[in-house]
Every structure is written in structure tokens, then in C-alpha cells.
Amino acid sequence: MEAMQRPYARRAAPRVGSSGVDTEGLDVGLFQAFAAVARNRSLTSAAKTLGVSQPTLTRRLQALEGALGATLVVRTPTGIHLTEAGLALVPPAMKLLATVDEARASVSGSATDLGGAVSVGSGGNVGAHVLPDLLARFLRAHPGVSVRIREGMP
């Protein structure tokens, strides 16, 4: 008896990057989620930073892990730890996000809006917990500005 041939739906060819990884389904939001977790080492803190729920953040991480075919983070009683693959992904993920910010700035013209130097003074907790993320976002949005940080009061 001859085997029946079944018609099949024609699928679009996957988008494959220069590394050979299927880039279908990879979007900036997945890398933003990973970067927030890498910075905060806490799902709760990372979710608050991004303004999303913890389950949403977890789904984004799982989607990125699935797309890349690697486990990036592990949960332990002491918090979130990056795997070897996660540690390797941090520099290219940060570069990707900086490039996206640069692209947005160049299109909107905000890259040339501000320039010069700013001095910022802060005390203990603000300097350690609030200022790094705040300044990172500011500097991405305004690359022409240099920032000098002073801790404590003279």
C-alpha cells in the first residue's frame, strides 16, 4: 500500500541571524527584561523597574531562554543568579539596548538636545539604590551630557 502524501502548510523561512540562531520571536522587550533581572538580581525588583508584574517578567525571560535555547537565570534561596550563558549574554544585551536607545534618540533628535556637564550629590541609600538606574536611563537619553557624582555632604 502506498503511503499517502499529506498536504502541508507552507511556512515562512525563519529569520536567522549571523550566529545561526533563529531570531523569530526575539524582540527588545525580552532583552529589557533580561537586563533588568541581571541588574537587580531579583525578579520582584526587576518587575517594579519595568512596571510589569512578576509573572509577566518570568514569561519574558522564559521566551528569551526558549528563543536562545539556553537557561539564563536560576532561582535560589538567596535570589536570582545568572548562569554561564546568562553572564555571556549581559554585554551583548546591554549593547543591543544601548543601540536601540541611540536609534530612538537619533530619530527623535534628542541626541543633540542636551550637552554639557552635571554634578549630582547624593547620600547613602539614594546613591546606592536609586541613582545608578536613574542616571543610566538619563545618560542613554542624553549621551552629550557628562555626569559627576559626589557622595555625602561636604
Side-chain angles (χ1 to χ4, degrees):
M1 190 177 248
E2 287 183 44
M4 282 183 55
Q5 288 188 334
R6 298 180 122 182
Y8 60 92
R10 190 175 166 131
R11 288 183 54 200
R15 291 181 295 180
V16 177
S18 61
S19 65
V21 172
D22 180 358
T23 58
E24 186 70 37
L26 286 177
D27 67 42
V28 174
L30 302 180
F31 288 97
Q32 288 170 328
F34 171 74
V37 170
R39 274 193 308 269
N40 291 288
R41 304 296 171 134
S42 159
L43 289 176
T44 303
S45 296
K48 284 181 185 175
T49 298
L50 295 172
V52 299
S53 69
Q54 190 172 330
T56 297
L57 178 64
T58 299
R59 283 192 299 276
R60 289 180 185 173
L61 282 175
Q62 290 169 340
L64 183 60
E65 289 176 330
L68 296 176
T71 300
L72 303 173
V73 298
V74 291
R75 290 183 185 190
T76 68
T78 59
I80 294 291
H81 295 281
L82 299 178
T83 64
E84 192 172 319
L87 289 170
L89 183 60
V90 170
M94 296 304 186
K95 184 177 178 181
L96 170 73
L97 294 174
T99 301
V100 168
D101 286 342
E102 185 181 331
R104 284 186 183 137
S106 67
V107 170
S108 70
S110 66
T112 58
D113 288 349
L114 294 178
V118 174
S119 290
V120 178
S122 75
N125 283 336
V126 171
H129 299 288
V130 176
L131 206 50
D133 202 36
L134 184 67
L135 284 177
R137 287 194 315 245
F138 176 81
L139 290 172
R140 280 195 304 269
H142 307 289
V145 177
S146 64
V147 176
R148 180 174 171 221
I149 301 170
R150 301 184 88 182
E151 289 186 83
M153 301 301 278

